[in-house]
Amino acid sequence: MEYMSGQLGELVEQLSMLPGIGTKTAQRLAYHVVSMPEEKVERLSKALIETRKKIRYCRECYTLTDSEVCPICADGARDHETIMVVETPRDLAAYEKTGKYGGVYHVLHGAISPMLGVGPDDIRLKELMRRLEGDVREVIIATNSTLEGETTAMYISKLIKPTGIKVTRIANGVPVGGDLENIDEVTLLRALEGRTEL
Ligand code: ZN
């Protein structure tokens, strides 16, 4: 990348730090940015900075939100005694898109993975257990059907069992290794409806 100006090289380097963006794509994006009208670039960079500044974790469910409590947790019409546990805010969004789930969520921000060195303390598990001290009737574990997702589901169910709260796991039907966000709504609903008690 010696032939590139230092500034352009810096932009390529920064862009290529984003997931799914290799050096080639980063270069293409960088050249595109140069050709954009300055005010558009300003809007883009402002969106990046403002998003990072304003977005935070919901105090209740730990999804990303721009208020202290997310709109789902703040909604009194939802069933706050049913908590669906998901790995990421994108998984939450996938279930929300079905429009058929009336409970609330808990976002773990990851899954337990001994291989990657991710332990129970590295995800928002303590926060979940704290929520269970309130009135909770059912915890639906909707982690992915990957090895990590299953490990996490087992771990959580063992943790919750002694509390007497009902623990369910979404049905298989969600393809193994499939990211929840890439699964169609019908499959998601079927998985939710066919959940079994652990
Ligand atoms: Zn929330």
Side-chain angles (χ1 to χ4, degrees):
M1 233 172 294
E2 294 289 310
Y3 57 89
M4 261 191 190
S5 85
Q7 192 55 57
L8 207 50
E10 163 72 3
L11 180 57
V12 170
E13 197 184 320
Q14 293 307 317
L15 287 169
S16 56
M17 287 199 300
L18 295 169
I21 305 211
T23 308
K24 262 193 184 163
T25 308
Q27 283 174 2
R28 206 173 63 231
L29 290 172
Y31 282 123
H32 181 75
V33 166
V34 173
S35 73
M36 281 164 73
E38 223 174 300
E39 66 268 21
K40 283 207 168 171
V41 179
E42 257 161 38
R43 265 182 76 179
L44 173 64
S45 53
K46 202 170 159 225
L48 286 172
I49 293 164
E50 292 300 307
T51 302
R52 185 60 189 88
K53 256 195 218 154
K54 285 184 183 151
I55 296 284
R56 48 176 155 170
Y57 297 117
C58 167
R59 200 183 59 196
E60 299 280 318
C61 72
Y62 292 89
T63 195
L64 299 172
T65 177
D66 40 20
S67 46
E68 209 175 318
V69 177
C70 78
I72 297 170
C73 290
D75 187 350
R78 297 188 74 123
D79 171 12
H80 286 254
E81 296 188 357
T82 303
I83 300 178
M84 187 194 289
V85 179
V86 292
E87 290 183 21
T88 67
R90 289 178 306 171
D91 295 336
L92 178 155
Y95 273 102
E96 271 309 281
K97 237 171 63 189
T98 69
K100 294 274 166 56
Y101 174 68
V104 292
Y105 297 89
H106 188 86
V107 183
L108 292 172
H109 293 279
I112 297 170
S113 171
M115 265 187 28
L116 296 173
V118 182
D121 288 341
D122 300 316
I123 57 177
R124 301 278 185 178
L125 208 51
K126 276 198 294 284
E127 290 83 349
L128 172 66
M129 296 312 288
R130 212 173 300 135
R131 287 179 78 185
L132 300 188
E133 288 164 14
D135 286 332
V136 177
R137 201 176 53 246
E138 181 181 350
V139 174
I140 303 168
I141 305 178
T143 49
N144 290 345
S145 49
T146 53
L147 178 62
E148 292 79 16
E150 295 298 346
T151 307
T152 308
M154 296 276 272
Y155 189 91
I156 295 176
S157 94
K158 268 192 201 143
L159 220 53
I160 299 178
K161 266 287 164 64
T163 66
I165 296 168
K166 185 176 173 188
V167 188
T168 55
R169 175 87 174 110
I170 54 162
N172 284 328
V174 176
V176 174
D179 264 310
L180 284 182
E181 61 170 333
N182 294 324
I183 292 158
D184 68 272
E185 291 162 35
V186 178
T187 311
L188 270 189
L189 275 180
R190 218 176 280 150
L192 181 59
E193 277 158 12
R195 66 185 184 272
T196 47
E197 198 159 346
L198 288 176

